[in-house]
Structure formats: C-alpha cells, structure tokens
Amino acid sequence: MALQQQLDELTTKLRAMVPAERLTIVDRAAEELKKSGIAERAVKAGDRVPAFDLPDGDGMTWRSEELLRSGPLVIVFYRGRWCAYCNAQLAALQEVHKQMASAGASLVAISPQTKKHSYMTRDMHKLRFPVLSDAGNEVARKFGLAYRVPEDLQTMYENIYTKLPGYNGDQSWELPLAATYVVRPNAIIAYARVDADWRQRPEPDETLRECVSSGLWLPDKPH
C-alpha cells in the first residue's frame, strides 16, 4: 500500500474515533501552518544544506559533512514517535533503505526528541538507519522548519497525554515541519519536500526517483 494511502486511512480512522471538537483544533492548526508560509520560507532545492552534527539514541554523533563524503544524503525531519503519521513514514523508509545503502546513499531521520526516545523509535520500528536527536530544534531552525505548537493544540495534546516536554526534554513546545531533503555530495540540495500539514508525506519511491533524476545514483548499479 502506498504511504499516502496509509496516512489517509489513518486520518479516516481518527475522524471516526476522535471527538469533532478535537479534530477542529487539529485541522485549524494545520491550516494555519499552511497559511503562515513557513514551508515556502524553508531551505529549498538549490540551497546549500545547513551542516549538522547530532547524536543518535546510543550517543554516537553523526556529522553531515562526513556522511556526504560517502555519497548522497537523504534527510527526513519528523515530529516524534508519538506521531502515528511519522511512524508510518519511518516504517516505509525502512523498506527502501536497503536500496539506498547498497547504492552508497545515506539516510537519517531527525526529530527534537531526547536520545532515549530516538533510541525507542529506532528499536520500535527496527530501523537500520540513524535516528537523530535535535535538541531544541537547533538544526530544524537552520532549515527554517521549527515552529511553536499553538496553545489550543498544546492543551489538546496535554489532555490526551501527548506531553512534548517529556519527549523533547524542554518546555518550548516546538516541532519541525515534516520535511524530506535529498542532498548531493557537494552539499547542494537536489530535492526538497516540506509539508505544513503533517498528514501529508512524500512516497519513499518518490525520494528514490528524485535521487535518480538528479543524477545522484542509480539503484542496483555500482556507485
């Protein structure tokens, strides 16, 4: 099943289960993010990728400059392991990760979660790519992706025990937009997909196609 179809089915199930007043808050927050223009202002194709070095759940540091020395780099920003849409995307990426790795490309997933929760994310989905912790959304801010959760959505999250301070280790209530980047080895972004509505994500196959069309690498051929 296509990833977006999975996400749409998830939305349908939530609409059947969640009280209408809560859904109104979620829909309004997504619409306000779209209207804010934050997605359009984020780092885009043709820009130089902001450098980063971030820890994974084991405390190992991953540096973008080192990753790019070995080939293209796919960077995925997600909200956290509490987000069902993010979990579906990460699981779908795992299915294409082997193709990426065999062709010399690297894939990393970044969220503001603590290292403990990054470890739990990787373990829960048996992910074979690095799951990195961006404390305080510092890297997400460099990409232009960080935003504060509106107060009514914050209250709703607290009421359903999705308390971001416990996941992220701070009181900011900030998250990154859902975003996927494909970066050439020269650190120039070849592809950027930024979604203000976190219920929308690119297909993993789309990311693979963008790599190919950008001339970065060809699946199943020597890198």
Side-chain angles (χ1 to χ4, degrees), residues 112-154:
Q113 296 180 123
T114 63
K115 288 184 285 185
K116 170 188 172 182
H117 287 290
S118 288
Y119 178 91
M120 293 172 73
T121 299
R122 187 191 68 188
D123 185 62
M124 178 170 61
H125 298 290
K126 297 179 172 56
L127 304 177
R128 302 303 295 264
F129 52 86
V131 179
L132 309 182
S133 293
D134 178 23
N137 281 291
E138 290 187 9
V139 174
R141 192 165 286 106
K142 292 180 182 178
F143 278 75
L145 302 172
Y147 70 94
R148 193 187 188 286
V149 174
E151 289 189 8
D152 55 352
L153 186 57
Q154 174 182 328

Side-chain angles (χ1 to χ4, degrees), residues 39-55:
E40 290 73 26
R41 294 190 298 271
V43 167
K44 58 187 178 298
D47 292 340
R48 188 172 187 84
V49 68
F52 63 81
D53 56 88
L54 294 172

Side-chain angles (χ1 to χ4, degrees), residues 168-202:
N168 297 349
D170 64 39
Q171 298 294 321
S172 69
W173 282 87
E174 284 188 339
L175 291 173
L177 296 181
T180 299
Y181 293 94
V182 178
V183 188
R184 295 189 178 100
N186 64 1
I188 300 301
I189 297 171
Y191 165 80
R193 163 83 181 256
V194 181
D195 289 293
D197 187 338
W198 55 88
R199 297 167 292 195
Q200 304 292 317
R201 311 289 171 106

Side-chain angles (χ1 to χ4, degrees), residues 10 78-88 198 201:
L10 176 59
Y78 71 103
R79 304 196 300 164
R81 73 183 191 89
W82 51 271
C83 170
Y85 296 94
C86 298
N87 291 335
W198 55 88
R201 311 289 171 106

Side-chain angles (χ1 to χ4, degrees), residues 37-87:
I38 182 175
E40 290 73 26
R41 294 190 298 271
V43 167
K44 58 187 178 298
D47 292 340
R48 188 172 187 84
V49 68
F52 63 81
D53 56 88
L54 294 172
D56 63 16
D58 295 315
M60 179 178 176
T61 298
W62 297 80
R63 296 178 173 83
S64 57
E65 292 180 356
E66 293 178 0
L67 291 166
L68 286 167
R69 288 194 192 110
S70 63
L73 174 61
V74 179
I75 305 169
V76 175
F77 285 89
Y78 71 103
R79 304 196 300 164
R81 73 183 191 89
W82 51 271
C83 170
Y85 296 94
C86 298
N87 291 335

